[in-house]
Amino acid sequence: MSRSSEETNRRLLRARDAMDRRYAEPLDVATLARIAYVSEAHFIRSFRATFGETPNRYLQRRRVERAMFLLRSTDRSVTGICMDVGFSSLGTFSRVFRDIVGEPPSAYRRRGPLPPVPTCFAMAWARPSSFGEAPGE
Amino acid sequence: MLNALTITQIYVPDQDQALDFYVGKLGFQVTNDMAFGPMRWLTIALPGQPDREVLLEKPGPPSMSEETAAQVRDLISKGAAGGHLFFQCDDAHQTHAELKERGVEITEDPVDQPYGTDFGLRDPFGNHIRIAAPRVA
């Protein structure tokens, strides 16, 4: 690893932090690539090489993690939560949620309230894993 | 038996840059800065808590090979090196505003939690820091 790759990592981390912070906004690759000071094509490739998944997948997991939290900590409607976490369509939200979590939002909600943990750790550890995660499918 | 936790360690790739940040921006004081063989033993503490020190250790030879040090720096720049520091303050919104004013890289704006209000930031290298104002009962 060279110093320049550390610089690149650090800039990509800044873009990842932006996804963690601004997940509710309609973030696109152009915006994120600007934060990381790289071209769009290079951004997707280098993000994947650095963090092991595409930026889109990371953002989806972040949004689903927030939705998981809200479903079990508030009584807001599923549609409301879908919009709160940055999805623009309920159909996409339901499909992505189910793909990642393995059950629909309403079923996940019935599991009951969550214990209090510092946000950053909840974010890092409650975030569903990337691939093949849906149990029993 | 054990009666206090006195020093914890984090890795910083550049100790002078670390001082600019931890002393210059976060308000730490240097408690030790001395040559310990080839190592620069550099500890800092908060003015109000001088016996709770943070060791700012630079990864490198002879403690570890240059190759290993490069791996450590790589992890730091990906935000994956651990060494999270958690702080307390009186007013999270005020502290957040002050640090933002000083150009600190905020990763998450203040959020209300069951335990209080907290926000997140990174040091210049990628190490993660969390600052919380506990809920007043």
Side-chain angles (χ1 to χ4, degrees):
Chain A
M1 285 298 156
S2 66
R3 296 287 167 151
S4 75
S5 76
E6 289 160 34
E7 280 302 309
T8 308
N9 287 347
R10 190 66 186 83
R11 292 201 309 269
L12 292 167
L13 180 62
R14 220 159 267 147
R16 201 187 74 176
D17 284 340
M19 286 192 262
D20 288 339
R21 181 172 66 252
R22 296 165 54 187
Y23 59 88
E25 299 173 28
L27 284 177
D28 57 19
V29 171
T31 307
L32 295 167
R34 257 198 312 278
I35 295 170
Y37 290 103
V38 290
S39 74
E40 294 182 32
H42 188 66
F43 174 67
I44 295 173
R45 210 168 39 238
S46 48
F47 188 97
R48 185 175 191 155
T50 303
F51 297 116
E53 64 187 324
T54 64
N56 180 53
R57 187 64 179 185
Y58 184 85
L59 182 57
Q60 283 186 334
R61 289 201 301 124
R62 169 61 170 153
R63 287 172 169 164
V64 166
E65 172 266 316
R66 278 294 84 196
M68 291 166 81
F69 171 79
L70 292 170
L71 284 165
R72 289 173 65 177
S73 313
T74 69
D75 53 11
R76 206 162 151 64
S77 73
V78 171
T79 310
I81 289 173
C82 154
M83 300 298 165
D84 287 349
V85 302
F87 285 94
S88 49
S89 109
L90 186 59
T92 308
F93 171 65
S94 301
R95 180 172 50 75
V96 170
F97 191 98
R98 205 198 152 92
D99 282 353
I100 291 179
V101 181
E103 60 186 343
S106 52
Y108 182 76
R109 167 166 264 173
R110 286 196 289 273
R111 291 171 180 268
L114 294 162
V117 174
T119 340
C120 49
F121 279 81
M123 179 179 85
W125 291 99
R127 188 164 46 228
S129 59
S130 291
F131 303 106
E133 51 277 296
E137 286 194 13
Chain B
M1 281 298 284
L2 320 184
N3 59 25
L5 175 61
T6 53
I7 305 176
T8 45
Q9 175 270 16
I10 62 170
Y11 280 123
V12 295
D14 183 317
Q15 290 172 307
D16 289 321
Q17 208 186 336
L19 287 183
D20 288 345
F21 177 79
Y22 286 98
V23 175
K25 300 207 157 136
L26 296 196
F28 273 88
Q29 292 176 340
V30 174
T31 44
N32 277 289
D33 185 357
M34 53 193 187
F36 179 67
M39 180 200 188
R40 180 180 176 189
W41 176 265
L42 179 61
T43 59
I44 55 172
L46 291 171
Q49 199 182 23
D51 54 355
R52 182 72 175 79
E53 296 174 287
V54 178
L55 172 67
L56 302 174
E57 183 179 4
K58 180 181 174 174
S63 150
M64 61 182 77
S65 71
E66 181 47 49
E67 188 190 14
T68 302
Q71 290 173 324
V72 172
R73 290 195 305 268
D74 186 49
L75 289 175
I76 297 169
S77 64
K78 289 184 190 182
H84 305 259
L85 296 175
F86 294 81
F87 297 101
Q88 187 176 307
C89 68
D90 293 325
D91 183 330
H93 290 279
Q94 190 193 333
T95 305
H96 170 262
E98 285 171 13
L99 292 178
K100 201 167 178 174
E101 177 71 27
R102 290 178 204 170
V104 165
E105 184 179 329
I106 305 287
T107 54
E108 188 174 31
D109 291 328
V111 235
D112 289 327
Q113 303 286 351
Y115 50 82
T117 305
D118 66 356
F119 63 100
L121 53 139
R122 289 196 191 277
D123 77 4
F125 317 108
N127 291 310
H128 170 255
I129 292 163
R130 195 97 194 154
I131 301 177
R135 188 176 291 282
V136 184

